[in-house]
Amino acid sequence: MQTKPFATVVVGVFEVNCYLVPSPDGKTLYIIDPGGDAQEIITASSAFSPEKTVILLTHCHADHIGAAGMVAEALKISELYIDPADQAMYASPANAFPPYLPAAENLPVPSKWPPRTSDFEILSTPGHTPGGVCYYFREYNALFTGDTLFRASIGRTDLPGGDTDVLLESVSGTLMQLPDSLEIYPGHGFPSTIGWERRNNPYICKS
């Protein structure tokens, strides 16, 4: 992987990859999946000098949204985006993983979907959750896949809203149509590329 202009902060008890991605012109900082450890995310954001900061969520699970409220308050963020199909679970007090992770509190109200920007493209990839998405920053040759696609694995589907057939179609029918050289940055674990996953991911090979 080549050096990229964005930062990764591993947060929370489930070790979520929170990404801090500047727009190509540097005017906007995108914080993808602020799942926990708000102060670490806030501190990491000080390395950037954007005109505004925006929160992007790949999906609604508690481990990916837990610090959104604290980060938004500290950085005066007024925009948070999540696919409408996941917004009910995003706001639900039942969205938790007890006893390890309580429901998130003081979450910002989602902004009108989709975000209006040319900085990235949104790929709809349901299956892990109904509203799962990936964010494709072409300028950086980087795809932020949340819990849709991991290195040598895919997201689990045994949680509410999960659907294995739908997830496999999202991965094989959408993500595997992208260039082999495209680098993927998942919600947990290590980066990879589309080409490596096409050749080595057992879920893709057998699907």
Side-chain angles (χ1 to χ4, degrees):
M1 298 285 176
Q2 296 181 344
T3 301
K4 299 292 183 181
F6 49 83
T8 306
V9 185
V10 181
V11 300
V13 295
F14 295 157
E15 298 186 327
V16 168
N17 291 328
C18 173
Y19 298 101
L20 282 66
V21 186
S23 59
D25 63 9
K27 293 182 179 180
T28 303
L29 177 64
Y30 297 102
I31 299 179
I32 302 176
D33 290 353
D37 297 323
Q39 190 54 56
E40 292 188 23
I41 298 170
I42 294 164
T43 298
S45 73
S46 65
F48 303 88
S49 301
E51 295 177 3
K52 71 172 182 177
T53 303
V54 173
I55 293 175
L56 302 177
L57 300 177
T58 61
H59 65 290
C60 60
H61 284 154
D63 57 327
H64 287 254
I65 69 173
M70 294 179 64
V71 170
E73 181 178 2
L75 300 180
K76 298 179 171 53
I77 296 171
S78 61
E79 295 179 52
L80 176 147
Y81 294 96
I82 182 170
D83 186 282
D86 269 14
Q87 289 184 14
M89 191 182 299
Y90 162 82
S92 172
N95 184 19
F97 295 99
Y100 308 104
L101 197 63
E105 297 181 348
N106 302 316
L107 289 171
V109 175
S111 303
K112 184 178 180 181
W113 183 267
R116 303 293 182 181
T117 180
S118 60
D119 292 337
F120 57 85
E121 299 168 31
I122 301 169
L123 304 182
S124 177
T125 53
H128 179 64
T129 63
V133 301
C134 299
Y135 296 102
Y136 185 5
F137 284 75
R138 286 184 180 269
E139 186 80 13
Y140 303 142
N141 191 43
L143 182 70
F144 298 91
T145 59
D147 286 4
T148 296
L149 178 63
F150 304 121
R151 182 176 177 85
S153 191
I154 60 174
R156 59 190 294 181
T157 55
D158 58 340
L159 299 171
D163 188 308
T164 301
D165 290 339
V166 172
L167 180 61
L168 289 172
E169 175 57 30
S170 291
V171 173
S172 295
T174 299
L175 300 189
M176 290 302 110
Q177 306 309 307
L178 299 170
D180 279 2
S181 61
L182 179 59
E183 297 174 3
I184 67 165
Y185 294 86
H188 305 266
F190 298 102
S192 185
T193 66
I194 291 294
W196 193 94
E197 296 308 314
R198 193 192 315 279
R199 295 187 300 271
N200 298 284
N201 190 310
Y203 294 92
I204 294 166
C205 294
K206 73 179 183 180
S207 66

